Amino acid sequence: MLDLKPQLASLRPQIIKAVTRVIDSTGYILGREVNELEEKIARYCGSSYGIGVSSGTDALLAALMSLEIGAGDLVLTTPYTFFATMGTVLRVGAQPLFVDIESESFNIDPELMAEALAADRQSGSRIKAIIPVHLYGQCANMQRIMALANEYGIPVIEDAAQAIGAEFPSEENGAVVWRRAGSWGLCGCFSFFPSKNLGGIGDGGMITTSSQAFADIVRSNRNHGAEPKYFHSRVGGNFRLDPIQAAVLAIKLEHLEEWHAARRVNADHYRHLFQEAGLVDNPVRLPKAMYAEAENAELHNHHIYNQFIIRVPERDKLRQFLFDNSVGCEIYYPLCLHQQECLTSEAYKKQYFPIAQQAAADSLALPIFPELTYDQLSYVVETIKQFYRAR
């Protein structure tokens, strides 16, 4: 599914040199490497500030804590994503309010969001934050989401863990401007887990924002709420980014656009190969690059393909067949969040999100990392063809 060794081989001398520099400095908490990465990520994402944190999960948690989200509050989000999106909401004592996803993009449906926001206003306005997830490397419909958030006066925390560098068109003063994930809402939350397009050699994360006041609160909260040292005006946590991770990520950031481009090429190859194999739409549904063409704008490749997701019948049997034939693949995600056992409330168990639940039942991620060869991609498609030919 993912082989990091080719990437490491090409960058190994630089990485070893950078890690050694950090070790020899004996400055192991925050410091120059973290500061420099924060500036670079903020600039790359189109935000004013970056705050390095210990993981993508802690980025979400620190953002919620910094907004003082807690008991009695609701956070509007998607039921189809990685657990951390919901887990951090529960950890601050709030409750997730789910709405279904769009069938093509896998991202939260803004029209269903509009219905949920209207209903919440009538029943007491408990929604205190919105967390759209830019799933699989493609932005949610941020123009519509931000219009709703502004209408209701609710802050937006972008879960951009899988989407650093992904873009979405914005109509501004009669022109189309492409804005990157993490620059739309109050803040964006990123993960540098090794499997991400920009991955470290361990855990790491980043919060981007253009609000100086919010950035100051997050910086305090990532260091136990201390400001200055040993004086705690708030209860934070230990969410600091390790300088070794920052040093490695700064090296990799220089190659990120090249890796995005390679993933897009691989996605194009997959589409061509599936078309040649006669598998498109029956039985294989391919991912669509949504929102790729804006009015008065050229076609824009904004999808970064953190995952390449196909939708297929007999998904679990196909997955086993691929494993048996040396093809790595993965299911993201086999269970929706409202179905997770840790949600003990029967109200969640009774909820039904047909589009998200169907996606959980038939979606499968294929290898898409930059170093794949055309022959390897061909083998993946040919193996899938063999599976369905035998049905």
Side-chain angles (χ1 to χ4, degrees), residues 3-12 197 199 252 259 370-371:
D3 185 359
L4 292 172
K5 290 181 180 179
Q7 183 188 98
L8 175 62
S10 64
L11 299 177
R12 182 182 177 86
N197 286 30
K252 289 190 171 188
W259 294 336
E371 294 81 10

Side-chain angles (χ1 to χ4, degrees), residues 311-329:
R311 303 186 68 172
V312 288
E314 300 184 87
R315 188 268 314 277
D316 294 343
K317 291 181 180 178
L318 172 60
R319 182 192 187 210
Q320 187 59 54
F321 185 80
L322 290 170
F323 280 155
D324 292 344
N325 286 274
S326 303
V327 176
C329 55

